[in-house]
Amino acid sequence: MIANKLNFGDTIGVICPASGEKDQNFIDINLNRIKNLGFKIKEGKFLRYNSNNYLAAPDKERAEDFMNMFLDPKVKAIICYRGGYGSIRMLNYIKWDIIKHNPKIFCGYSDITLILNCLNIYTDLITFHSPMINSNFENKLTKTYFLNILMNGLKDFSIDLISLPNIKIFNEAQVKGKLCGGNLSIICSSLGTPYEINTKNKILFLEDVNEKDYSIDRMLTQLLLSNKLKNCKAFIIGHFTPNNNNEVILSLLKPLKKPILMNFPAGHDYPNITLPIGAEIYLDFFKGKIKFCNDVVNIN
């Protein structure tokens, strides 16, 4: 299931499904940047409210705010203001049928990882691992891919790997599969819950921030022992900042003998290229392309 494409002049709903932002001036600055791109803004109920140090509002209220954006016919896309922590706490309150009958573009990353994947699992809606409202849209590639994919993400849309810096490929191949994944630590936190991601026959994207080598080793080993790594077809490894932990990552992934794309610019650094979660993509490592096999937005 795909949502209608975004057009200049459309209204974007901005919500905080996880943590909030206490700096009101910073909120205004970031909202104005989105307005300057050519969009209108509808503020979520809890964008300017914090119930405590790490949640924007109580769990049920955040879930209701989330669903109300899908119900509002004036809102054409929903973009999270930020991540932080707390998305998993509101998932029990989400009424998936509301989203299923009101499909819209939904964007975010980091703690929003579970929402991105669960929306696809429970409603079949393609979502977008993408910059959020507090991201740096001054970065050219970040802004270009964000707008192009949400406004023109049609079949055969391609991401040119050759033009991207520091890309490394292991076990070259041509692979087709649905894309899943996001933040490594958030994915691991979902294991054993109703919200764990399904990696079977999929292409798994992973990224993270401020994790030491031993922590990345522990989390990847957890995914390995949970069969999440063995079940997938290929790996796209995004930013692992501040230091790319390539050695520890490759030590666990290379023995699986699956295609690996390293240093893809998505996640907690820039550029932060938008990726469609739940979409079928085609990795062509011989031609250096990531292609969309189907439309990821509806042009009608």
Side-chain angles (χ1 to χ4, degrees):
M1 182 168 64
I2 57 176
N4 291 333
K5 74 183 183 80
L6 189 63
N7 295 298
F8 289 121
D10 282 347
T11 296
I12 293 173
V14 180
I15 58 173
C16 289
S19 298
E21 172 61 65
K22 295 181 180 180
D23 188 334
Q24 298 298 304
N25 290 331
F26 197 46
I27 292 174
D28 290 331
I29 290 170
N30 287 321
L31 292 181
N32 284 332
R33 286 174 179 162
I34 301 302
K35 291 176 183 177
N36 289 337
L37 290 177
F39 303 104
K40 300 173 185 175
I41 294 290
K42 177 181 178 179
E43 295 189 17
K45 185 176 180 181
F46 304 109
L47 178 60
R48 300 178 185 271
Y49 169 77
N50 288 276
S51 65
N52 59 36
N53 288 330
Y54 56 86
L55 295 174
D59 303 334
K60 189 175 182 180
E61 283 83 348
R62 283 181 287 119
E64 289 174 351
D65 197 34
F66 172 85
M67 291 183 293
N68 284 338
M69 286 294 186
F70 280 95
L71 286 169
D72 187 342
K74 294 181 181 179
V75 173
K76 303 304 179 184
I78 304 163
I79 304 178
C80 298
Y81 180 84
R82 60 162 299 181
Y85 168 74
S87 296
I88 193 171
R89 291 183 45 157
M90 74 166 203
L91 292 179
N92 280 339
Y93 297 104
I94 292 177
K95 297 178 181 178
W96 303 105
D97 282 349
I98 287 178
I99 289 92
K100 197 168 186 177
H101 291 99
N102 299 276
K104 293 181 182 180
I105 288 171
F106 181 80
C107 301
Y109 75 104
S110 193
D111 191 74
I112 311 302
T113 289
L114 287 189
I115 305 178
L116 296 174
N117 287 273
C118 285
L119 279 173
N120 184 248
I121 292 169
Y122 285 98
T123 73
D124 201 37
L125 177 66
I126 289 176
T127 59
F128 298 91
H129 186 283
S130 81
M132 295 184 281
I133 300 299
N134 70 344
S135 296
N136 177 18
F137 285 95
E138 299 301 317
N139 182 273
K140 185 177 179 180
L141 278 179
T142 299
K143 181 174 74 172
T144 297
Y145 275 103
F146 176 78
L147 293 176
N148 280 349
I149 289 175
L150 298 188
M151 302 176 81
N152 307 294
L154 307 182
K155 183 179 178 181
D156 294 329
F157 185 100
S158 65
I159 298 173
D160 182 12
L161 299 177
I162 297 172
S163 67
L164 302 177
N166 304 318
I167 290 291
K168 292 184 179 179
I169 293 170
F170 299 88
N171 303 324
E172 285 186 340
Q174 295 171 315
V175 185
K176 183 185 290 187
K178 288 188 176 181
L179 183 67
C180 68
N183 185 262
L184 173 60
S185 59
I186 299 301
I187 289 169
C188 286
S189 75
S190 73
L191 295 179
T193 76
Y195 308 113
E196 69 178 27
I197 69 169
N198 176 12
T199 63
K200 189 173 182 179
N201 295 322
K202 295 184 179 181
I203 295 170
L204 177 60
F205 166 69
L206 295 172
E207 64 84 35
D208 218 318
V209 61
N210 294 330
E211 297 289 353
K212 296 186 181 298
D213 285 357
Y214 76 85
S215 180
I216 292 171
D217 189 317
R218 170 176 51 77
M219 291 187 286
L220 285 175
T221 300
Q222 186 180 11
L223 290 183
L224 179 67
L225 296 177
S226 301
N227 289 322
K228 297 299 182 182
L229 302 184
K230 293 178 183 177
N231 284 341
C232 66
K233 286 185 172 182
F235 303 102
I236 298 176
I237 305 301
H239 295 303
F240 273 77
T241 56
N243 301 309
N244 284 332
N245 309 76
N246 287 354
E247 289 185 14
V248 65
I249 294 170
L250 289 171
S251 72
L252 286 157
L253 297 190
K254 284 182 73 174
L256 298 173
K257 298 181 179 180
K258 299 176 186 289
I260 305 170
L261 173 61
M262 294 292 297
N263 300 327
F264 183 80
H268 287 78
D269 204 350
Y270 297 97
N272 184 6
I273 289 179
T274 298
L275 289 171
I277 299 297
E280 188 169 48
I281 63 172
Y282 178 59
L283 297 182
D284 189 342
F285 289 153
F286 300 117
K287 293 184 178 180
K289 300 281 186 182
I290 298 177
K291 289 186 177 181
F292 298 174
C293 299
N294 304 99
D295 297 350
V296 298
V297 290
N298 181 14
I299 63 171
N300 295 323

